[in-house]
Amino acid sequence: MTYFKKPTGRASDGRLIVDFLAEALGLPFLSPYLQSVGSDYRHGANYATLASTVLLPNTSLFVSGISPFALAIQLNQMKEFKARVVEFHYSDKNGFTKLPSPDIFGKSLYTFYIGQNDFTSNLAAIGIGGVKQFLPQVVSQIASTIKELYALSGRTFLVLNLAPIGCYPAFLVELPHSSSDLDSYGCMISYNKAVVDYNSMLKETLAQTRKELHDASLIYVDTHSVLLELFQHPTSHGLKYGTKACCGHGGDAYNFDPQVYCGNSKVINGSTVTATACSDPQNYVSWDGIHATEAANKLTTWAILNGSYFDPPFPLHQLCDLQPIG
């Protein structure tokens, strides 16, 4: 509603981080890989899907609603895409195409923003201790995927870490916790600590993987720190509400009702209720209790482009002719 002015099937009121990154690089929005009509892949492809996971859904106790397009599936899609690009290039060099040149795969920026659903989908059922048991598999799968992309000529990788889910309105409503588990900002201490542990594991694994990929740039991006700052101090960044959802039902401190998700209607106690959007999403960190608003995504992208959240340091502003984002 903020940028596209119409429903787009996204869990956001507007642009996502990948959109802002594309804009900063002077590129059009990336076409979804699964969009068969009207796609233009000359500048890249987006393999992400809503509610996707790193691990395949049948490898653990994932709840319903999880996407079947896990990271391994997305990798296979990318392999198939590259094979088609190469095949088309050598079979019809003069034909009209909206595909890139085969050499683009060695020049591309591969961006990973995945893992939250592996972490959260089972929390209510098996708790933090249960989830922690398979998080090493999640990190290992990310590293393995990067190695496979490296074998396919990929050389530059940005891996965004996990957000502070203990501050998300949806999880503040749905996950069991006591008042003593809330910090002074209203976020759940135990769940955020578990996220920090996961991020440390991810960072260490990427450091080890980096040693094996001698001519590659493998960058760990600490978006967790950016989002945590927004949740804790929204007014310091031009926002108003941290742990309250813009689009939801309830109107309480969190404005989130697990019975009625953003945009949906349901009969509760004989009355039809609808989870509607607020009129000022630019003042919120959380769009629907689970995903960030365009405003939060924009602030996060600025932080990424600044480069101060990269490990190791990566001079993105020197390597790319960055454009201002609107």
Side-chain angles (χ1 to χ4, degrees):
M1 65 184 259
T2 297
Y3 182 80
F4 298 97
K5 308 304 180 185
K6 60 181 180 180
T8 62
R10 297 178 165 212
S12 174
D13 61 303
R15 289 166 287 184
L16 310 177
I17 291 176
V18 67
D19 296 323
F20 282 118
L21 287 174
E23 183 178 351
L25 294 170
L27 304 175
F29 295 144
L30 299 184
S31 291
Y33 176 76
L34 295 176
Q35 179 178 303
S36 59
V37 178
S39 293
D40 186 340
Y41 298 116
R42 286 174 291 183
H43 301 288
N46 188 350
Y47 300 92
T49 67
L50 184 69
S52 59
T53 55
V54 173
L55 301 180
L56 290 167
N58 62 359
T59 60
S60 63
L61 306 173
F62 285 106
V63 297
S64 61
I66 291 297
S67 168
F69 296 97
L71 184 57
I73 305 301
Q74 295 179 27
L75 175 62
N76 286 337
Q77 291 175 332
M78 187 271 172
K79 291 178 179 178
E80 176 66 17
F81 179 66
K82 182 178 182 180
R84 289 176 179 268
V85 167
V86 172
E87 177 185 9
F88 187 91
H89 180 77
Y90 290 108
S91 65
D92 186 10
K93 294 183 178 180
N94 298 315
F96 175 76
T97 178
K98 289 191 176 182
L99 296 175
S101 169
D103 66 354
I104 201 68
F105 296 95
K107 304 175 182 179
S108 297
L109 179 66
Y110 295 86
T111 306
F112 291 75
Y113 196 9
I114 192 169
Q116 178 171 303
N117 291 303
D118 296 88
F119 193 100
T120 61
S121 59
N122 290 314
L123 272 176
I126 61 178
I128 295 175
V131 169
K132 279 187 172 181
Q133 293 182 13
F134 64 79
L135 290 181
Q137 299 175 45
V138 174
V139 171
S140 177
Q141 184 65 43
I142 291 174
S144 297
T145 302
I146 291 170
K147 292 176 184 178
E148 288 202 54
L149 289 171
Y150 178 86
L152 294 170
S153 71
R155 290 298 181 268
T156 308
F157 308 92
L158 296 184
V159 183
L160 282 61
N161 64 4
L162 198 63
I165 62 127
C167 298
Y168 281 26
F171 302 129
L172 282 163
V173 171
E174 294 182 299
L175 296 179
H177 64 279
S178 63
S179 58
S180 61
D181 193 30
L182 296 178
D183 62 21
S184 59
Y185 305 103
C187 299
M188 294 181 289
I189 299 170
S190 58
Y191 295 100
N192 275 352
K193 183 182 182 301
V195 169
V196 170
D197 292 342
Y198 167 84
N199 285 339
S200 296
M201 187 192 316
L202 175 63
K203 185 176 182 179
E204 176 59 30
T205 300
L206 293 180
Q208 294 299 320
T209 305
R210 193 178 298 118
K211 296 177 181 178
E212 303 176 34
L213 312 179
H214 300 293
D215 58 341
S217 294
L218 175 51
I219 312 301
Y220 171 85
V221 188
D222 185 18
T223 50
H224 173 276
S225 293
V226 182
L227 286 166
L228 184 62
E229 168 66 18
L230 294 181
F231 277 116
Q232 292 180 340
H233 306 286
T235 57
S236 298
H237 303 279
L239 308 174
K240 292 183 179 180
Y241 308 103
T243 57
K244 182 178 182 179
C246 163
C247 185
H249 167 70
D252 56 10
Y254 303 126
N255 194 38
F256 179 84
D257 186 337
Q259 299 182 82
V260 193
Y261 286 101
C262 173
N264 294 331
S265 298
K266 188 174 183 180
V267 177
I268 299 178
N269 297 327
S271 300
T272 301
V273 298
T274 302
T276 56
C278 62
S279 60
D280 58 339
Q282 71 277 5
N283 289 322
Y284 289 74
V285 177
S286 176
W287 164 242
D288 57 0
I290 303 173
H291 305 93
T293 58
E294 174 175 299
N297 284 331
K298 185 176 183 179
L299 290 168
T300 303
T301 306
W302 275 340
I304 293 173
L305 296 174
N306 177 270
S308 57
Y309 293 90
F310 289 159
D311 181 68
F314 184 67
L316 187 65
H317 61 286
Q318 295 179 14
L319 299 173
C320 302
D321 182 18
L322 298 179
Q323 309 296 315
I325 56 177

